[in-house]
Amino acid sequence: MNSKRADYISWDEYFMGVAALSAMRSKDPGTQVGACIVSPTNKILSMGYNGFPIGCSDDDFPWNREGAPLHNKYFYSTHSELNAILNYRGGSLEGCKIYVTLFPCNECAKAIIQCGIKEIVYACDKYGDTDSVIASKRMLDASGVKYTYYKPTGRKIELEV
C-alpha cells in the first residue's frame, strides 16, 4: 500500500489558504488582505485581515482611497499583518512564520521584525516597485527576516459552508 496520499494539502497550501480565507472577512472594497501566523511546529497562532480597529464601525469610517487624509481609509485601517500580531495573546512570536496574501508594507515589516517573526511567505507582490515595499525589503534583509514567494499549486480547493 502506498503511504503517500494525494488527497491532502501541503502546509504552505493550508496556511496560505487560511490567509486567503481571512482576507475574505475584510470589507475593504479595493484590497482584501489576509495573514496567518504559524509556530515553528506548524500550529496556527493568529490570523488577521485589513480592517478598522475594534469599536470603529465599518459604516462610520471611510473605505475610499482618494480624498483628504481624514476622509480616506489610510488613517483608520489596520493591515492584516498588524492585526494578526495584535490579535495574538499567547506571548512571544519569536521564530514564527507569517503567511500573507500581499507583501507587507514598511510599517508592517517593522512590526514583523520587532515581534520576532523570522519568515514571511507571500502570495502577491503587486506593489513591489513602491517605496513602501522597497523599504520593507531593505529592513527585512537587514534584520535577517526571510521572505519567500508562495508559488500557487494550481489546486482548486472548494468549500461549502
Side-chain angles (χ1 to χ4, degrees):
M1 188 162 119
N2 187 350
S3 64
K4 290 193 174 193
R5 294 178 23 195
D7 60 345
Y8 64 90
I9 60 176
S10 71
W11 285 121
D12 282 347
E13 287 174 307
Y14 177 52
F15 298 133
M16 191 56 77
V18 169
L21 196 59
S22 294
M24 295 172 73
R25 282 286 308 143
S26 175
K27 295 181 179 129
D28 188 332
T31 307
Q32 292 181 306
V33 182
C36 177
I37 300 175
V38 180
S39 76
T41 57
N42 290 325
K43 304 290 185 264
I44 294 175
L45 301 177
S46 187
M47 294 168 282
Y49 55 88
N50 56 319
F52 299 130
I54 295 170
C56 297
S57 170
D58 296 323
D59 298 324
D60 296 335
F61 289 87
W63 279 113
N64 51 306
R65 294 176 173 207
E66 306 300 322
L70 293 176
H71 300 288
N72 69 45
K73 67 181 181 177
Y74 296 109
F75 278 1
Y76 307 108
S77 64
T78 304
H79 288 179
S80 66
E81 304 92 327
L82 185 57
N83 263 331
I85 290 167
L86 296 172
N87 286 339
Y88 184 59
R89 302 285 194 256
S92 175
L93 293 173
E94 191 72 36
C96 290
K97 186 184 292 190
I98 188 167
Y99 287 78
V100 292
T101 59
L102 183 63
F103 198 93
C105 72
N106 63 304
E107 293 298 323
C108 289
K110 293 176 199 176
I112 288 166
I113 293 163
Q114 285 298 101
C115 76
I117 290 173
K118 292 300 177 197
E119 185 174 355
I120 299 165
V121 179
Y122 64 96
C124 177
D125 192 14
K126 71 178 180 179
Y127 299 113
D129 60 349
T130 65
D131 289 344
S132 173
V133 174
I134 291 168
S136 175
K137 289 176 182 175
R138 185 174 179 190
M139 289 186 288
L140 295 167
D141 289 341
S143 62
V145 175
K146 179 182 174 186
Y147 47 93
T148 306
Y149 172 68
Y150 170 77
K151 185 176 179 189
T153 61
R155 181 194 307 252
K156 183 171 173 84
I157 300 172
E158 202 170 307
L159 299 173
E160 185 174 322
V161 292

